[in-house]
Each structure stands twice: as structure tokens, then as C-alpha cells.
Amino acid sequence: MNTTTGQHTDDARHTPAEPPVIREPRHVPLAHVVRAGVIEGVHHGSAVVLAPDDRVEFQAGDIDAAFYPRSALKPVQAVALLRAGLPLDGELLSLTAASHSGQDDHLAGARRILEMADLTEDDLRNTPDLPYGSAMRERWLRADRRPSRLAQNCSGKHAAMLYTAKLRGWSLEDYLDPAHPLQRVIAETVEDLTGQRVARVTVDGCGAPLFSVSPLGLARAAAAIASAAPDTPEGRVADAMRTHPEMASGDDRDVARLMRTVPGLLAKDGFEGVQMAGLSDGRALVVKIADGADRARMPVTAAALAHCGIDPGVLTEFATTPVHGGGTTVGCLHATDALALPAA
């Protein structure tokens, strides 16, 4: 990172450090589920916040152990595709980095990417699924529609992978093989932006290779993308997602609302309770909820964003999740004191 400007540049690339250690993460309590004044449940996890100069501004739990970022890695994968020659920007680039809800515009966008490559849905190799968004999923079920590769929430990424491979003259049938040239470019980009070697490679839910790094490494990648110059692959991804947050998630998704609420914020969620976010000055954060509970992800993220200097008052709608009983609100889920701001 250029510590004078807070901008990550290609000149700042360095040889990746050793991979993070694979161990049982030393998570700590990050969220309490409170019902009528009694702590009914505790969500453990880890969180890290980086300052603009790449210092660890705040940490809770284990930020150095290997973990799987799941879909929070998609902005990094999108950067890799641009580096490999993908000629997309705007809403289609945002869709490339998306875990989309399966809205009509999401499916149309994925089709457009395939059409640019003279390909069809049959060329996709992601796992067929119903739409991820609850409203769209309900609509499909009522219409008795079956799971499809296009409806699966990673279809934008897979369509863009195929388009990139087609442009480079690489084979298409095995584009998900970790040894494929496309996946090697992605792995190299993961190591470049996180600053550490990949600890392990597995298969994500959609069938694509998934690379294990640490929460600290993912936070560095978030900072690199969010603070990059506009004409770089990193900056193009950041601009696309910020300008079209609904294409990177869905109209009613919390990540889209969060990016609309906090100017300049880049944010991407992932399964198993993962959240990454970055700001244009190089501040960044990563949250991992140990038990994978999505309900704890956003309240902990809101608390971590306060450590980035975001006014907690702006984050009120994200700071708690209601707990219901008998049709009324009887409590809430909120971040623990482990994430409290230091006393003035």
C-alpha cells in the first residue's frame, strides 16, 4: 500500500508470505442473543479492522488462522478475471462479483455475459439451484420451476469465467479444474491481494475452486480493492459494486443497503457468516461468525465499521437483529462488549 495516499497499487505487490496456519480458530464471543434481558445464545467468531496504513486497528478472536472466505472472495476473483482480459464494467462486472438473489435482471445479466461469449446456460458448470433471494425462490416454487444453473447465485461469476476462458483460447469444459489456466490466475491474484500463500484449496458450493486464507489476509485484499485507482482492475471492481450494489446481491439484501448507506463502502458477504468490507482510504474489515449464523453477521459488521470511523448512528438499522416471541419483539441480537469502541 502507498501509505501516503492510502491507495494500493501494482507497484506495491510483493512476494506472498507463508500460508496461514490450519488450526482450530481461537474465536471469542462476538454477539449475544438477548431475550427479555437474559442472554439466550452466544455467537463466537473473529473480526479484524485495518487502518489506512495497513496496521491492525482492532482485532477480536483469531485473525491469523486459515479459513474459507466463501463468496466474500468473489471481488478478488473478479479482479483476477479482469487481469486475465475480461472486458466487463458496470452492472455486469458487479454481477461477476455477485451472490445474486436470482432477480430477473440478474438472470438477464448472466445471459448477456454468456451471449457475448457465444455460449449458453448449458456451458455453465455451476451447481443447479433455486434463486437465493427468498422472494424469487418463493416465486419459482409457486410456478413449479426447477433448479437451474442460471438461477444459482454464482451464475454471474461462472458466466464471466467462461467468457474469460473463451477470450484467452483456454478450454471451457474443465474451467473449474484448479489446474486450469484460469484458476491458476485466480489463485495468483488471491495470493497477491491477500499477501499470503493459499493454505488449502477445496470446492465451493457452486463447484468453483475455493482458496483458504486468513481473515487478516482477506481484509488486506478488501483494502487493496476498495482503495485502488479507478483505472486498475481492483478499482474497476470496486466502482462496479459501489455503483450497482443491487447487482452484487439483491434489491432487498442487507449488503446492498449497507453500501447505499455508507458512501464509498465496498462490501461482500459469504456463506458461513463471512463479511468483508473496505473503504476508499484503505480502511477494511473482515468478520467471521464461527457457527456460520447469518443473523449475527451484520450486527457484528456494524460494530466493526464503527472501529473504521463510521458514525454508529448511521448504522442503527444494521446494529441489531430483533428476537421475537408471540408475534412481538422481546429482545435482540447485538454485538458483545468485545467490539465496543474504546472509551473517549
Side-chain angles (χ1 to χ4, degrees), residues 1-2 6-10 12-14 50-54 75-76 79 83 189-195 216-230 232-239 242 266 276-286:
M1 175 187 285
N2 181 328
Q7 298 289 317
H8 291 255
T9 67
D10 289 347
R13 294 181 190 175
H14 55 277
L50 294 183
D53 62 1
D54 203 39
V76 179
V79 169
R83 289 182 178 182
T189 303
V190 169
E191 293 187 337
D192 175 38
L193 295 183
T194 63
L216 177 58
L218 184 61
R220 286 178 173 147
I225 296 171
S227 67
T232 62
E234 294 90 332
R236 287 166 60 190
V237 170
D239 178 69
R242 288 170 176 145
L266 170 74
M276 65 91 99
L279 290 155
S280 58
D281 65 357
R283 291 174 290 168
L285 67 87
V286 164

Side-chain angles (χ1 to χ4, degrees), residues 145-167:
R145 297 180 68 177
R146 300 184 62 80
S148 78
R149 298 186 192 277
L150 202 67
Q152 197 267 339
N153 74 87
C154 304
S155 64
K157 177 181 77 174
H158 281 257
M161 285 181 173
L162 280 168
Y163 189 14
T164 305
K166 183 78 174 287
L167 290 171

Side-chain angles (χ1 to χ4, degrees), residues 109-238:
R111 286 193 192 95
R112 283 170 58 197
I113 297 172
L114 290 169
E115 288 168 358
M116 290 177 184
D118 196 25
L119 299 171
T120 71
E121 181 177 356
D122 292 337
D123 294 293
L124 294 170
R125 293 291 180 267
N126 58 318
T127 307
D129 200 356
L130 294 170
Y132 178 65
S134 56
M136 291 306 303
R137 180 177 289 249
E138 186 65 28
R139 197 169 109 186
W140 275 54
L141 289 171
R142 286 199 306 268
D144 199 27
R145 297 180 68 177
R146 300 184 62 80
S148 78
R149 298 186 192 277
L150 202 67
Q152 197 267 339
N153 74 87
C154 304
S155 64
K157 177 181 77 174
H158 281 257
M161 285 181 173
L162 280 168
Y163 189 14
T164 305
K166 183 78 174 287
L167 290 171
R168 293 297 298 268
W170 294 331
S171 58
L172 303 183
E173 297 79 8
D174 60 342
Y175 75 94
L176 297 182
D177 187 330
H180 191 280
L182 179 73
Q183 299 302 333
R184 291 204 303 268
V185 170
I186 292 174
E188 290 167 2
T189 303
V190 169
E191 293 187 337
D192 175 38
L193 295 183
T194 63
Q196 58 190 193
R197 300 193 188 282
V198 170
R200 188 156 294 177
V201 181
T202 186
V203 181
D204 209 340
C206 65
L210 177 63
F211 306 97
S212 178
V213 293
S214 70
L216 177 58
L218 184 61
R220 286 178 173 147
I225 296 171
S227 67
D231 58 349
T232 62
E234 294 90 332
R236 287 166 60 190
V237 170

Side-chain angles (χ1 to χ4, degrees), residues 56-108:
V56 175
E57 181 80 20
F58 170 83
Q59 69 180 88
D62 195 342
I63 66 172
D64 296 313
F67 88 131
Y68 289 118
R70 301 302 298 271
S71 286
L73 194 65
K74 284 178 179 173
V76 179
Q77 293 169 311
V79 169
L81 297 181
L82 291 182
R83 289 182 178 182
L86 179 69
L88 295 180
D89 283 294
E91 61 181 8
L92 294 184
L93 180 54
S94 185
L95 185 64
T96 296
S99 299
H100 65 71
S101 292
Q103 298 168 190
D104 292 343
D105 52 348
H106 296 150
L107 305 191

